[in-house]
Amino acid sequence: MGATMSRRHRPETFWRQSVNPDDNLIHPKNWKANDPLYKYLEFKREKLEDRDLGTIMRMVVMYCPCQVSRCKCKAGNFVGNEHNTEGWTHSNCIRSGCNHLLSDHTLHLTSASRTKFMALVKLVFDINNIKASLEIEHKKPKSQRNIVIEEVYNSVYKVLCKSVRGDPFKAPNFDKIYGSPPYEKIHIEQILINFCIRFFGSNKAVLTFEEALMVTKIVLHLFNSWMWTLPDNKSHDQNLYSNTYSFYYSRYMVHCAIPRLSHSISPRYQATAIFGSDVLKYTLKSFSNELQVWCYKSNIMWNEQTNLYCMTKMPIYMNLLKKEVYNRNSPIFTLDYDMSDIMRLYYRLINKYQ
């Protein structure tokens, strides 16, 4: 490795340590701008927000409990001509035991600021999206339905509905479903840093330390944007794992995948920061196979350097990583290297080859 290296390639630019450690678990904010699904749903929601108040109220009131004292109606159910906004607002709830006006269901919203009201609209929009996703799952043939996904969607749907009915201006608490991240003590990012230093730190391996750092950064980024494979009936030796794949998959759905669909779930976590050795063992083979296919399909659009790393250096890295991940006695799961170790090793190698 040469003596000079531009600052943009130096290791401190690979892992920025946040003042708040919890921030290191969360996806960088720019993921929203680069995510087609998020942008599409954001566009749809903004179009809804631009519609007349009557249309918006018709949607919101379906999840609002009646505010009349002692009325047990938990969500309004109204009928009327949707094109006649004024007449519709004076209709009565048809739920048994209610029969109160729409305005009785929205008393608690009249004094809300526009910011709070739009946050509620966002919440209800998310409820409808989750409900639609749940209905799609239910309509699938029995052989194609996945009980884990249905349970996750149903749990999220219940939390969102409960939030609207309880305190519509308070952020939903999704930690009640599966607890709060992280879910493994040593996370995937730490494991890959351990692997990188342990096996490429001497600069005598098939990849230099600098090259291994760059590939590690690429792999972590791609893993965080990768959609995990669905839980199936494949058997695993549970003596090798602390929990089942379904256990981790449901938590991945809530904290990493569904925030793309339901924008009230905030923030979106990085899978490599909240999961560790169990998930890496469960997913590495599938991830590696899909990564290889993606590289072969995408490389025609890449520049020379990206091609070099993804088509030549990454396969070497991934093959070595798989051997270590499935080695029960591998030290990469117990080492605890940090940024200072990376910097120390980096500058030692720089000085050595000057």
Side-chain angles (χ1 to χ4, degrees):
M1 182 168 58
T4 60
M5 185 179 184
S6 65
R7 182 167 182 81
R8 66 188 179 88
H9 285 153
R10 288 181 181 177
E12 69 264 33
T13 64
F14 292 169
W15 290 282
R16 293 290 188 189
Q17 297 299 312
S18 171
V19 175
N20 181 359
D22 288 342
D23 290 345
N24 293 324
L25 307 180
I26 300 168
H27 258 286
K29 292 181 179 179
N30 63 356
W31 76 265
K32 297 178 181 179
N34 299 320
D35 189 287
L37 177 59
Y38 185 96
K39 296 301 292 182
Y40 170 75
L41 291 175
E42 185 179 50
F43 171 74
K44 296 285 284 186
R45 190 182 73 243
E46 288 174 351
K47 285 190 68 175
L48 171 67
E49 292 172 356
D50 289 337
R51 299 184 70 177
D52 64 272
L53 184 60
T55 300
I56 296 175
M57 278 297 188
R58 279 198 295 273
M59 183 184 74
V60 171
V61 79
M62 293 171 60
Y63 301 98
C64 289
C66 184
Q67 301 298 304
V68 174
S69 178
R70 297 185 180 181
C71 183
K72 296 181 179 180
C73 176
K74 294 183 178 180
N77 188 0
F78 297 86
V79 294
N81 185 350
E82 293 190 2
H83 298 288
N84 183 359
T85 304
E86 184 177 351
W88 191 87
T89 58
H90 295 291
S91 61
N92 296 75
C93 179
I94 62 173
R95 289 197 186 277
S96 176
C98 184
N99 198 38
H100 294 117
L101 292 171
L102 180 145
S103 57
D104 292 324
H105 285 256
T106 58
L107 285 173
H108 60 312
L109 306 179
T110 54
S111 60
S113 65
R114 176 172 174 79
T115 300
K116 284 187 174 181
F117 184 72
M118 286 299 108
L120 174 59
V121 172
K122 178 180 178 181
L123 189 61
V124 172
F125 182 81
D126 287 345
I127 291 175
N128 288 335
N129 282 338
I130 295 296
K131 184 179 180 181
S133 299
L134 195 55
E135 289 173 350
I136 290 172
E137 288 297 319
H138 286 160
K139 290 178 181 178
K140 289 181 179 179
K142 190 174 181 180
S143 59
Q144 296 179 18
R145 290 176 62 177
N146 190 293
I147 190 170
V148 176
I149 291 180
E150 290 184 19
E151 286 177 352
V152 171
Y153 279 142
N154 194 46
S155 297
V156 171
Y157 178 76
K158 287 180 178 178
V159 169
L160 290 172
C161 288
K162 187 176 181 180
S163 180
V164 173
R165 292 165 186 164
D167 187 348
F169 305 121
K170 185 178 180 181
N173 183 4
F174 293 95
D175 290 348
K176 293 180 179 179
I177 304 178
Y178 299 120
S180 57
Y183 295 107
E184 295 190 72
K185 187 175 180 180
I186 300 180
H187 51 73
I188 293 172
E189 182 174 315
Q190 178 67 63
I191 294 169
L192 264 60
I193 291 173
N194 293 343
F195 170 71
C196 189
I197 294 179
R198 173 82 177 180
F199 290 92
F200 304 103
S202 67
N203 248 22
K204 295 179 181 178
V206 287
L207 299 178
T208 66
F209 184 57
E210 176 190 345
E211 291 169 341
L213 276 178
M214 180 61 75
V215 175
T216 299
K217 178 185 177 183
I218 295 170
V219 170
L220 289 170
H221 172 74
L222 293 174
F223 190 92
N224 283 326
S225 59
W226 175 61
M227 293 295 293
W228 293 13
T229 53
L230 294 173
D232 52 31
N233 295 322
K234 290 181 181 178
S235 59
H236 298 277
D237 183 356
Q238 290 306 135
N239 293 323
L240 302 177
Y241 304 94
S242 300
N243 290 292
T244 64
Y245 180 61
S246 294
F247 172 91
Y248 294 114
Y249 186 85
S250 58
R251 285 149 181 80
Y252 157 77
M253 284 289 291
V254 169
H255 294 292
C256 305
I258 292 183
R260 300 174 63 222
L261 175 68
S262 177
H263 302 173
S264 299
I265 300 180
S266 183
R268 182 187 179 194
Y269 287 84
Q270 299 186 88
T272 57
I274 64 174
F275 299 107
S277 59
D278 272 7
V279 166
L280 197 55
K281 291 173 184 176
Y282 277 128
T283 62
L284 186 57
K285 289 179 181 178
S286 297
F287 170 67
S288 180
N289 291 339
E290 292 185 28
L291 178 60
Q292 186 177 34
V293 172
W294 177 78
C295 285
Y296 276 109
K297 288 182 177 180
S298 305
N299 74 88
I300 193 172
M301 299 179 290
W302 295 339
N303 60 34
E304 185 177 348
Q305 185 181 30
T306 304
N307 254 303
L308 176 65
Y309 273 96
C310 292
M311 300 300 292
T312 304
K313 301 183 187 300
M314 190 186 294
I316 297 171
Y317 180 99
M318 293 300 290
N319 285 334
L320 292 172
L321 178 62
K322 280 187 280 188
K323 289 179 181 178
E324 281 308 303
V325 167
Y326 297 111
N327 174 8
R328 294 191 183 188
N329 300 316
S330 176
I332 65 173
F333 299 116
T334 55
L335 296 171
D336 191 24
Y337 292 122
D338 59 21
M339 192 65 212
S340 62
D341 295 308
I342 294 176
M343 294 300 298
R344 192 182 307 114
L345 179 57
Y346 168 73
Y347 285 114
R348 190 183 76 193
L349 292 172
I350 285 289
N351 293 330
K352 180 178 179 180
Y353 290 99
Q354 276 183 334

